[in-house]
Amino acid sequence: EKKDAVFAAMSNKVKVSKENIAAATQLFTPDWIVRYMVENSLGRLWVDGHTDTSARSEWKYYLDEAEQTPDVQAQLAEIRAGRKGLTPEQIRFIDPCMGSGHILVYAFDVLMQIYLSCGYTERDAAQNIVRNNLWGLDLDKRAYQLAYFAVMMKARQYDRRFLTRGIKPNLSHFQDLPTPDYSLLDEPIKSFVEQFENADTYGSLITVQADDEIDKALDDFQGTLDLTFGHMEHLMQLYNILSQRYDVVCTNPPYMAMSNANAKLKDFVEKKYPDSKSDLFAVFIEKCSELSKLNGYYSMITQHAWMFLSSYEKLRKKLQNKTTVNMAHLGARAFDEIAGEVVQTTSFINANYWIKDYKSTYCRLVNAKSEKAKEDLFLKHNDLFFRCSSLFSNIPSSPIAYWKSNSFYSLFSNKRIAEYMFSDGQILTGNNDLYLRYLWEVEAYKVNDDLWRLHTKGGNTRKWYGNIDMVVHWDEKSIYHYRHDSTARLLDEKYWDKHGIVWNGTCSPNNLGARYLYSNESFNKAAPGIFLRNDNDSEYYYLAFINSCVGNDIMTTFNSTLYRSVADILRLPIIINERDRVEAITAENIELSKVDWDSFETSWDFKKHPFIRSVTTIKEAYEQWEQECNDRRAKLKANEEELNRIFIEIYGLQDELTPEVDDKDITVRAADLQRDMRSFVSYAVGCMFGRYSLDTEGLAYAG
């Protein structure tokens, strides 16, 4: 309930306070993903130095390493040689965002398997694991209490007398840290305490410096003074956990856009983590690397936006100095408790070293539609890709496009759409409630007559043409406002009457829905647009390519989220061939889509209802209309498939793509008896009231 309340407040632009960060970000990690992360980090650490271990047989989510070149194998052997002497007691494993301890509990099981393979008893192993191996932190005190209980009960499972032994887990939290009275403190204790200022907001992101002088002072100080301003034991525990480096860091970090963060957290992140400041999950990618020992592993599940979006390009470049061992690219619906396509995730294991030409293993699970389906697909090991990260730098902004072929990477030696088209931004009114209207809300004679201008603001996915169902206020006073208001924006006047291409900024990952924009139409931030650099050129070829399966496939390489920016479109590589054929098909597609759009009252160019025909019954009219719709959809589908064939051949992607178009992706409407009869009744009422007339096409009166 609290999480729902926090999200409702966020939707109303309320920033997340330090008390509500936990509620906004807590999410239970699916069990199989926990096993994947732990087995491929903690398990791998042990296998590196103990290849013959019997514990390996227990790990069904463990991925074997890709076949490497002799040079890479030699470098790996040198790193792994240092692990042959590693004993179970020496392993340090931390979850810095431990929640209720799910990851720690499974790490306990894996550690137990490692200890038993070395001849330890379950009782001795349990004591060692709690005392020496497991560490954990969380912002939320309640989560800490749950994790503490879970780890203690896990130890009790293997040692019946464990609760009487006085052994405490190495776990802690950041809530309820009191504000100290610095006047009572001398250096270096004061410096020590100052490190924890705002720790209840920053959590595991705070940095503490291990310092011999502080360590000595703490030893001298401990137990000599009852600090009324706080709990020194608590601070010392946090210090001990955060000042160490770990063999394995494994976590599901918080996901929260920093635009929703309170000012203190946002300022901290922007200063300390400028390359990952967009979201907390990305910040924790850097933090987990910092917590990891040289040659250690860090394993995470995060949103997958960092793999593609330009805002994370600097973070990707940093990560090129690490080695991705393997990745389970989950996509949407990896968490059954989260419906829809918004949260798209990936889980990965990085090694805190870099080896040139190392082949990482990627398991592509994005097409499976549920938590269980993704797990089943992972276990089949069918969709595995083996790639060197250096390949990704061939693509602008270096997205992690592991599933692409070598021929795909070579496409980016061609020109980009940006050399032929550009963007000057879009109209932002600063107050849509005041300045935007639907077409049917205004006096018709004032549209396109210096008062209202046709306008598109997104809508349902449509290709080729449509979604022009709004108008924007366009008198001198409004234009002055758009130019001078701090939250508004207006295109340069020389672009007001230019035709171009628009699309829905938020769209289906597999169907961008680019549309032709006529010169008397304008567009909004929800429907970004681009214009030709050369007025003698034509948009038709570029529109066809953007709407083709080739254009979409390349674009999802840059960006697999639900938002397509202008930059995503302009960076597409464009190869111009068979232009006349492509443009002829595109012109026909625009006309087919316009006829469909204009068949309904919501279009400015609506003439008459499609049931108005030279027949004697509505049934006959509907049957003719139904046949027209079917013919139009069939023709548009054939045209789109022909364009796909042309571009697949031009781009040499015959082995990767097929031209077929799914019926559900045809964006002109099929006949629908219920909907179309309702629209006919609406048209009849319009005739009765004088809006329409059987003697006149289009609007008879609206004003």
Side-chain angles (χ1 to χ4, degrees):
E1 294 83 357
K2 185 171 184 180
K3 186 169 189 173
D4 290 341
V6 172
F7 272 80
M10 285 165 59
S11 66
N12 290 319
K13 310 299 183 186
V14 176
K15 304 302 181 185
V16 179
S17 67
K18 67 179 183 181
E19 294 81 9
N20 289 330
I21 291 172
T25 58
Q26 284 167 341
L27 185 66
F28 190 74
T29 315
D31 191 63
W32 84 266
I33 296 173
V34 170
R35 291 171 181 261
Y36 160 76
M37 291 195 295
V38 173
E39 290 174 13
N40 285 279
S41 54
L42 175 58
R44 188 173 301 276
L45 179 85
W46 186 251
V47 171
D48 281 348
H50 308 80
T51 54
D52 58 347
T53 180
S54 59
R56 166 72 179 83
S57 62
E58 305 277 347
W59 307 330
K60 73 174 187 175
Y61 298 94
Y62 186 94
L63 281 177
D64 289 322
E65 194 166 63
E67 186 176 341
Q68 307 293 342
T69 64
D71 183 53
V72 171
Q73 288 176 3
Q75 294 178 69
L76 288 171
E78 186 176 340
I79 292 170
R80 291 166 182 170
R83 293 195 174 134
K84 290 183 178 178
L86 184 71
T87 65
E89 295 97 332
Q90 293 173 317
I91 297 172
R92 287 181 174 176
F93 179 104
I94 188 172
D95 182 347
C97 317
M98 64 186 173
S100 59
H102 191 184
I103 290 172
L104 293 174
V105 165
Y106 187 62
F108 197 117
D109 285 334
V110 171
L111 285 162
M112 179 59 68
Q113 292 156 9
I114 291 171
Y115 273 96
L116 294 180
S117 72
C118 294
Y120 287 74
T121 66
E122 288 186 348
R123 184 180 65 185
D124 289 344
Q127 294 174 42
N128 271 312
I129 290 169
V130 177
R131 191 182 281 122
N132 300 319
N133 300 131
L134 292 182
W135 309 75
L137 293 168
D138 203 273
L139 190 68
D140 189 351
K141 184 177 181 180
R142 301 164 308 157
Y144 153 77
Q145 291 168 337
L146 286 169
Y148 191 107
F149 176 75
V151 170
M152 292 293 280
M153 294 308 292
K154 197 69 185 175
R156 170 66 179 75
Q157 176 184 333
Y158 295 105
D159 177 6
R160 294 182 61 188
R161 296 179 181 172
F162 185 82
L163 300 182
T164 67
R165 300 190 188 281
I167 301 172
K168 295 182 179 180
N170 299 306
L171 311 179
S172 195
H173 63 91
F174 296 94
Q175 280 182 341
D176 300 337
L177 283 178
T179 303
D181 182 352
Y182 292 112
S183 65
L184 300 176
L185 300 172
D186 296 323
E187 292 289 352
I189 297 298
K190 182 180 178 182
S191 297
F192 164 74
V193 173
E194 283 177 339
Q195 296 182 101
F196 298 95
E197 192 172 5
N198 300 315
D200 56 350
T201 299
Y202 308 151
S204 298
L205 295 177
I206 66 171
T207 300
V208 299
Q209 299 296 330
D211 184 280
D212 291 341
E213 187 178 358
I214 288 179
D215 289 341
K216 183 179 185 307
L218 289 173
D219 288 339
D220 296 340
F221 188 85
Q222 191 171 15
T224 64
L225 179 64
D226 178 16
L227 293 181
T228 57
F229 59 84
H231 307 291
M232 180 59 74
E233 184 180 354
H234 189 172
L235 295 184
M236 290 177 66
Q237 186 181 36
L238 289 172
Y239 172 77
N240 288 333
I241 295 173
L242 286 165
S243 61
Q244 296 186 77
R245 293 298 170 261
Y246 295 85
D247 299 286
V248 179
V249 184
C250 185
T251 195
N252 181 357
Y255 309 164
M256 186 173 77
M258 293 313 300
S259 58
N260 293 319
N262 61 69
K264 193 171 288 184
L265 177 58
K266 186 176 181 181
D267 184 60
F268 172 81
V269 165
E270 287 179 348
K271 288 179 179 176
K272 187 163 175 54
Y273 297 99
D275 297 335
S276 52
K277 63 185 178 182
S278 298
D279 199 290
L280 272 180
F281 79 78
V283 174
F284 268 96
I285 293 177
E286 291 201 66
K287 181 63 181 181
C288 288
S289 174
E290 293 171 2
L291 286 170
S292 174
K293 288 181 181 178
L294 180 65
N295 297 340
Y297 292 111
Y298 56 102
S299 177
M300 308 178 70
I301 175 171
T302 68
Q303 293 203 44
H304 76 177
W306 68 268
M307 298 169 62
F308 307 106
L309 297 189
S310 57
S311 54
Y312 296 107
E313 183 175 354
K314 290 182 179 178
L315 175 61
R316 285 195 293 276
K317 287 184 177 178
K318 272 189 176 179
L319 292 176
Q320 286 177 357
N321 295 320
K322 311 294 180 184
T323 295
T324 297
V325 179
N326 57 57
M327 175 184 286
H329 187 190
L330 300 157
R333 303 180 188 275
F335 298 81
D336 283 346
E337 64 183 278
I338 302 176
E341 303 288 327
V342 175
V343 177
Q344 302 197 57
T345 56
T346 187
S347 186
F348 57 92
I349 289 81
N350 278 2
N352 202 12
Y353 55 75
W354 181 73
I355 296 178
K356 186 176 183 291
D357 298 328
Y358 181 93
K359 285 186 181 177
S360 308
T361 302
Y362 298 89
C363 188
R364 187 164 175 80
L365 309 173
V366 297
N367 295 322
K369 299 301 183 185
S370 71
E371 190 178 301
K372 181 66 166 62
K374 291 180 189 293
E375 179 184 5
D376 292 343
L377 185 58
F378 175 87
L379 291 172
K380 290 177 182 175
H381 292 179
N382 286 343
D383 293 334
L384 294 180
F385 298 84
F386 308 104
R387 296 286 183 268
C388 296
S389 61
S390 57
L391 274 175
F392 306 145
S393 60
N394 293 329
I395 309 174
S397 83
S398 303
I400 313 301
Y402 62 86
W403 65 96
K404 297 300 183 183
S405 67
N406 289 335
S407 59
F408 176 88
Y409 297 119
S410 67
L411 292 176
F412 294 91
S413 59
N414 294 288
K415 291 183 177 181
R416 310 296 160 79
I417 287 181
E419 298 193 38
Y420 301 94
M421 303 193 76
F422 72 99
S423 169
D424 188 54
Q426 58 274 315
I427 295 171
L428 301 176
T429 69
N431 186 344
N432 285 350
D433 290 341
L434 181 62
Y435 292 101
L436 294 185
R437 294 286 184 275
Y438 284 107
L439 280 170
W440 48 92
E441 294 183 294
V442 303
E443 296 170 297
Y445 68 90
K446 294 181 180 178
V447 176
N448 290 336
D449 189 27
D450 297 331
L451 187 60
W452 296 98
R453 184 180 177 89
L454 293 174
H455 193 69
T456 182
K457 190 179 176 289
N460 294 330
T461 300
R462 281 188 65 91
K463 292 180 183 177
W464 311 112
Y465 183 79
N467 289 352
I468 308 291
D469 58 359
M470 303 199 81
V471 286
V472 60
H473 210 236
W474 208 252
D475 65 2
E476 288 185 8
K477 185 177 178 181
S478 296
I479 290 172
Y480 180 87
H481 164 79
Y482 304 149
R483 281 181 170 144
H484 296 91
D485 182 81
S486 61
T487 59
R489 191 188 182 283
L490 187 64
L491 296 173
D492 193 294
E493 189 168 353
K494 62 186 175 182
Y495 304 128
W496 289 1
D497 298 313
K498 279 182 78 75
H499 39 80
I501 297 172
V502 295
W503 60 91
N504 287 4
T506 302
C507 60
S508 162
N510 297 315
N511 198 343
L512 176 73
R515 307 181 294 277
Y516 186 74
L517 185 80
Y518 284 90
S519 59
N520 64 330
E521 298 164 349
S522 59
F523 57 96
N524 187 278
K525 182 179 181 180
I530 52 177
F531 303 117
L532 289 167
R533 293 188 181 278
N534 182 351
D535 289 338
N536 295 321
D537 199 353
S538 166
E539 297 92 346
Y540 285 9
Y541 189 90
Y542 312 109
L543 176 60
F545 173 65
I546 292 167
N547 273 338
S548 72
C549 65
V550 174
N552 185 76
D553 184 66
I554 297 173
M555 201 164 348
T556 54
T557 305
F558 303 138
N559 182 357
S560 291
T561 69
L562 302 180
Y563 182 75
R564 297 289 187 272
S565 70
V566 168
D568 294 329
I569 303 294
L570 293 180
R571 71 176 67 171
L572 289 172
I574 189 76
I575 304 172
I576 297 177
N577 202 346
E578 294 197 49
R579 183 160 195 158
D580 291 344
R581 173 75 175 137
V582 168
E583 291 189 349
I585 297 173
T586 304
E588 186 173 26
N589 289 352
I590 293 171
E591 181 59 27
L592 288 167
S593 296
K594 192 172 190 315
V595 169
D596 170 68
W597 179 254
D598 293 343
S599 297
F600 293 83
E601 285 187 66
T602 48
S603 169
W604 174 249
D605 292 320
F606 173 74
K607 303 299 183 189
K608 62 181 181 180
H609 195 275
F611 285 8
I612 305 300
R613 298 168 182 268
S614 299
V615 293
T616 56
T617 67
I618 293 176
K619 181 175 184 292
E620 292 174 280
Y622 178 77
E623 287 173 347
Q624 289 186 12
W625 160 247
E626 184 177 37
Q627 187 59 51
E628 281 182 19
C629 288
N630 291 342
D631 292 345
R632 182 160 48 241
R633 285 176 61 82
K635 182 60 178 172
L636 193 60
K637 180 175 182 177
N639 282 356
E640 290 186 6
E641 290 179 343
E642 177 62 16
L643 288 173
N644 284 345
R645 270 189 288 272
I646 292 171
F647 284 113
I648 287 172
E649 187 171 335
I650 290 172
Y651 282 74
L653 298 176
Q654 293 90 337
D655 294 335
E656 298 183 46
L657 299 173
T658 59
E660 287 75 26
V661 176
D662 203 320
D663 285 347
K664 67 179 176 58
D665 293 327
I666 302 299
T667 59
V668 294
R669 289 164 280 202
D672 181 299
L673 183 60
Q674 298 277 332
R675 180 202 67 202
D676 299 338
M677 282 305 302
R678 285 196 296 271
S679 74
F680 187 53
V681 172
S682 173
Y683 179 74
V685 172
C687 289
M688 295 172 196
F689 280 93
R691 181 175 179 83
Y692 305 115
S693 168
L694 297 178
D695 301 322
T696 305
E697 287 193 336
L699 286 173
Y701 178 75

